[in-house]
Amino acid sequence: MFINKTNEGLNNVCGKNIARLRGEMRISQKKLADKMQLVGIDIDKNAIQRIECGKRFVTDIEIIAFSKVFDVSFEELLK
């Protein structure tokens, strides 16, 4: 059977890192959503919250955009 969740039952592996990086930048989820929109990703605060708590899948395009916003490699988001 195909399983598309982490061992912890999360829908993504990058949410915790996104939350950590956002905290290091000291910006709100709304501000992060605004920054994502500046790089061309239409996302809102609620989607950011769902990503950070592992309830939402993250597309490859979104991971690339997050890496641009945080100025980190996409590999760092996925570890």
Side-chain angles (χ1 to χ4, degrees):
M1 174 160 68
F2 181 74
I3 299 172
N4 60 353
K5 293 188 182 226
T6 68
N7 291 337
E8 300 159 339
L10 303 174
N11 289 324
N12 67 60
V13 296
C14 62
K16 291 179 182 179
N17 287 327
I18 290 169
R20 176 183 54 80
L21 290 165
R22 182 178 62 77
E24 289 173 5
M25 287 181 74
R26 297 177 186 240
I27 60 172
S28 67
Q29 292 172 337
K30 170 73 171 112
K31 185 68 175 176
L32 177 54
D34 293 344
K35 288 180 175 289
M36 289 290 284
Q37 290 181 4
L38 291 175
V39 296
I41 301 298
D42 186 19
I43 195 167
D44 65 11
K45 175 225 174 274
N46 293 330
I48 299 291
Q49 189 275 329
R50 291 177 51 78
I51 288 169
E52 288 183 354
C53 70
K55 293 182 180 177
R56 181 182 178 280
F57 292 103
V58 184
T59 67
D60 52 355
I61 295 167
E62 291 170 335
I63 288 176
I64 292 168
F66 278 120
S67 71
K68 288 179 185 177
V69 167
F70 292 123
D71 193 29
V72 297
S73 68
F74 61 87
E75 291 92 349
E76 184 173 337
L77 288 175
L78 297 175
K79 66 179 177 178

